[in-house]
Amino acid sequence: MKLTDNEIRDITQYLEAGKPLPEKYRFLLFEDKREVELVWNGKTNEVCNVVLPFQIIEQVDEPRAERDQKRADMQMSFLDVDDRGRQLKGWTNKLIWGDNKLILSSLKNGPLRQEIKQQGGLKLIYIDPPFDVGADFSMQIEIGDEQFTKQPGVLEELAYRDTWGKGTDSFIAMIYERLVLMRDLLADDGSIYVHCDWRVNSYIRMVLDEVFGKENHINEICWCYSIGGKGNTRFARKHDTIFFYSKSGNYFFDGKNKNVSVPRKPNSHMRLKVDEDGREYQEKTDKKSGKIYRYYVDEGKIPEDYWIDIEQLNREDAERIDYPTQKPEKLLQRIVGASTNESDLIADFFCGSGTTLAVAEKLGRKWIGSDLGKFAIHTTRKRMIGVQRQMKAEGKDYRAFEILNLGKYERQHYIGVNPNLRDEEKQRQLDEREKNFLNLILHAYHAEKVEGFKTFQGKKNNRVVAVGPVNLPVTRLFVEEIIAECRQKYLTKVDILGFEFEMGLFPNIQEEAKSKGIDMALKYIPRDVFDKRAIEKNQVVFHDVSYIEVKPHIKKKSVAVELTDFSVFYN
């Protein structure tokens, strides 16, 4: 559209004054797309393309039950095992701890992409992202008879700031980028199910339309339930929304298998008949063709798009593991059963308590799961070991799984180290970046830099400050060196800052330091230190490593919990 002289003059004046242009100029300056579009602050089509190497933390494979000779002589259905029953080859399921943006980008652009393709591609993604806008993302956990608040861990903090720091805008930006990466990972005949509720479902629908295309919107499913949600000043909210999209028109769907179908209720307006085998049925005649269709009462039918036969979990349900956002397995059985075949590969990148992965394993699917929270990974790991043991007891095949993370490479990414450099150049860059990183940490902690110490880099008020390594947990050896220098130089107050702390280090090491006259505080470095806005606004909080001793009323057993790390060990 051609601008008038007055419009050109107005635009020039706005730009020279450094003021934003009025909304009308958006449509005057840029071509009309002639389509509905969701717009948010900072919208961009650019997505993360970093490739970071995955590190295997642990491999989990419960020994399988002994098989009879007949079965031993047969070729295994999908894997080979050793004489102890452990998996030797074939796809290994993957549970990944970390930021799913980096995980998705590394899966899409890295060497694992080829392995995924060899499995036929990613056939199904189900996600249940955090959609409580403005929530603080703490959660209530039960230990014995007591209840405590689990605060977000060090990995979670920056991601949650990115997700909710600007309210709905930042949530949409977060989910948009991840949905683009998920779309690119999906097989051409794959499907995605996105679980949400009234708070963000309208935004999610428009983002999904933009990423996958309106023509690939298959269903808007209402999952209705009876528990929870009371209404005194409004109608009670008693359903969640699950959006079902395909990547193309060539998607798989089977609504009649036993994991999906629902009982067929007889039509009260149609006469009930009985065939020669004693089965009840009803008949319906097509008015145009005259063809007669027979419907057996005992046959299941494809469910409608409102699901009223699956309840939320309550405290009495055997599968409940007290994870705040846990979904019932029956819900995921319907989704997995409808959109995948046995041996297909599925994924859940907000896996939480691991319901999707547990269902996948039980239904003979391969899986990838990820979560940002260490508590979620611990919960899922324990649950999947339980599934393995259950399937072993039932004599069923199951796959090994491995726990992965991006480890030091994720931290190197945050501080800007190029992982593709040669070792010598990478080390030089890492040394320089770590120096800058150290200055950044001290600045965020409001500490002054100091020289002349072996283990201390700063001081704050009357306390010296030691900063742990970027790519390793703070270990007992590291702390013992700090204690030694404190005693050598008569220092009595010290703060130790670290991303992670060695399991079991706390609180014993503090008691040991106290016995030597040293007041020692251990504090987590939050991811906020990489957010300049957070530092400028003085919003960076270094959390103490929390410790609570719980004494249940049984056998004098006590439970120690590091709430920020959720490492549990028994005395």
Side-chain angles (χ1 to χ4, degrees), residues 1-64:
M1 181 182 295
K2 188 175 180 179
L3 297 174
T4 66
D5 291 340
N6 287 339
E7 288 169 342
I8 293 173
R9 185 182 65 251
D10 289 345
I11 291 172
T12 303
Q13 289 175 348
Y14 277 111
L15 294 175
E16 288 176 346
K19 296 180 179 179
L21 294 177
E23 184 67 15
K24 70 175 185 177
Y25 286 110
R26 176 183 167 214
F27 301 99
L28 291 174
L29 289 170
F30 303 102
E31 183 180 356
D32 186 3
K33 290 186 176 182
R34 300 182 185 277
E35 63 183 30
V36 177
E37 178 188 6
L38 183 61
V39 179
W40 60 90
N41 287 333
K43 182 176 182 179
T44 174
N45 291 325
E46 295 180 5
V47 297
C48 180
N49 61 4
V50 66
V51 179
L52 303 178
F54 292 101
Q55 300 174 87
I56 297 176
I57 302 173
E58 180 186 13
Q59 290 181 310
V60 183
D61 189 14
E62 287 284 314
R64 288 162 175 75

Side-chain angles (χ1 to χ4, degrees), residues 98-226:
D99 184 336
N100 59 14
K101 179 174 76 171
L102 299 177
I103 290 168
L104 284 162
S105 178
S106 299
L107 287 174
K108 173 191 169 185
N109 301 299
L112 267 179
R113 178 68 178 271
Q114 186 58 36
E115 192 175 344
I116 290 172
K117 286 183 177 179
Q118 289 172 356
Q119 305 305 317
L122 200 52
K123 299 294 188 179
L124 168 68
I125 296 174
Y126 166 86
I127 58 170
D128 179 15
F131 46 75
D132 187 1
V133 179
D136 63 2
F137 289 92
S138 60
M139 63 177 68
Q140 297 299 310
I141 58 173
E142 292 185 359
I143 304 168
D145 296 327
E146 304 290 337
Q147 190 174 74
F148 303 98
T149 300
K150 160 69 173 67
Q151 298 296 339
V154 289
L155 267 175
E156 298 165 285
E157 292 211 11
L158 182 62
Y160 289 155
R161 175 180 298 279
D162 288 346
T163 304
W164 306 111
K166 294 182 179 178
T168 306
D169 278 337
S170 50
F171 170 78
I172 296 171
M174 179 281 292
I175 201 67
Y176 175 83
E177 184 172 15
R178 284 155 178 79
L179 285 172
V180 170
L181 290 167
M182 290 179 205
R183 177 200 63 197
D184 295 344
L185 265 176
L186 264 181
D188 288 341
D189 57 350
S191 304
I192 184 169
Y193 290 73
V194 180
H195 196 132
C196 56
D197 75 357
W198 59 273
R199 282 165 279 211
V200 294
N201 57 6
S202 56
Y203 303 112
I204 291 284
R205 169 70 186 273
M206 294 193 73
V207 171
L208 284 165
D209 278 351
E210 187 166 325
V211 173
F212 287 89
K214 290 182 290 186
E215 69 280 5
N216 291 320
H217 176 222
I218 311 302
N219 278 117
E220 178 179 340
I221 300 162
C222 288
W223 172 39
C224 306
Y225 38 79
S226 62

Side-chain angles (χ1 to χ4, degrees), residues 51-53 55 406 408-413 415-435 471:
V51 179
L52 303 178
Q55 300 174 87
L406 301 172
K408 64 181 182 181
Y409 301 103
E410 185 174 37
R411 295 194 186 105
Q412 288 178 5
H413 169 75
I415 64 173
V417 173
N418 183 351
N420 300 317
L421 296 174
R422 291 183 177 179
D423 289 344
E424 184 178 341
E425 178 60 24
K426 187 191 297 183
Q427 187 59 49
R428 187 196 66 77
Q429 189 178 103
L430 183 58
D431 291 342
E432 181 65 27
R433 298 287 187 180
E434 285 188 340
K435 180 180 177 182
N471 59 345

Side-chain angles (χ1 to χ4, degrees), residues 54-58 60 91-98 103 348 350-354 357 367-371 373-374 376-385 400-406:
F54 292 101
Q55 300 174 87
I56 297 176
I57 302 173
E58 180 186 13
V60 183
W91 169 266
T92 301
N93 292 322
K94 304 182 191 312
L95 177 60
I96 311 172
W97 175 41
I103 290 168
D348 184 345
F350 296 88
C351 70
S353 65
L357 313 185
W367 53 262
I368 300 172
S370 77
D371 205 281
K374 186 180 284 188
I377 297 298
H378 284 325
T379 302
T380 299
R381 173 190 177 277
K382 180 179 178 182
R383 184 174 186 175
M384 295 313 301
I385 290 174
F401 71 93
E402 54 192 8
I403 300 174
L404 312 172
N405 73 0
L406 301 172

Side-chain angles (χ1 to χ4, degrees), residues 305-435:
D305 61 1
Y306 56 96
W307 297 351
I308 59 175
D309 59 325
I310 303 174
E311 276 292 352
Q312 284 186 333
L313 296 175
N314 58 47
R315 299 194 66 84
E316 286 71 42
D317 287 313
E319 69 182 79
R320 182 182 171 95
I321 54 178
D322 287 324
Y323 193 90
T325 58
Q326 183 184 354
K327 300 299 184 291
E329 289 191 7
K330 189 175 179 181
L331 181 72
L332 272 300
Q333 286 170 359
R334 180 166 294 172
I335 291 170
V336 171
S339 291
T340 63
N341 287 304
E342 194 168 341
S343 294
D344 280 350
L345 178 59
I346 72 175
D348 184 345
F349 295 106
F350 296 88
C351 70
S353 65
T355 301
T356 305
L357 313 185
V359 168
E361 190 69 60
K362 292 175 183 179
L363 296 184
R365 273 67 169 174
K366 306 162 192 170
W367 53 262
I368 300 172
S370 77
D371 205 281
L372 184 64
K374 186 180 284 188
F375 179 51
I377 297 298
H378 284 325
T379 302
T380 299
R381 173 190 177 277
K382 180 179 178 182
R383 184 174 186 175
M384 295 313 301
I385 290 174
V387 171
Q388 283 190 345
R389 290 174 178 169
Q390 176 188 340
M391 296 183 74
K392 172 186 171 183
E394 295 170 355
K396 297 178 181 177
D397 282 333
Y398 55 85
R399 294 183 180 275
F401 71 93
E402 54 192 8
I403 300 174
L404 312 172
N405 73 0
L406 301 172
K408 64 181 182 181
Y409 301 103
E410 185 174 37
R411 295 194 186 105
Q412 288 178 5
H413 169 75
Y414 277 117
I415 64 173
V417 173
N418 183 351
N420 300 317
L421 296 174
R422 291 183 177 179
D423 289 344
E424 184 178 341
E425 178 60 24
K426 187 191 297 183
Q427 187 59 49
R428 187 196 66 77
Q429 189 178 103
L430 183 58
D431 291 342
E432 181 65 27
R433 298 287 187 180
E434 285 188 340
K435 180 180 177 182

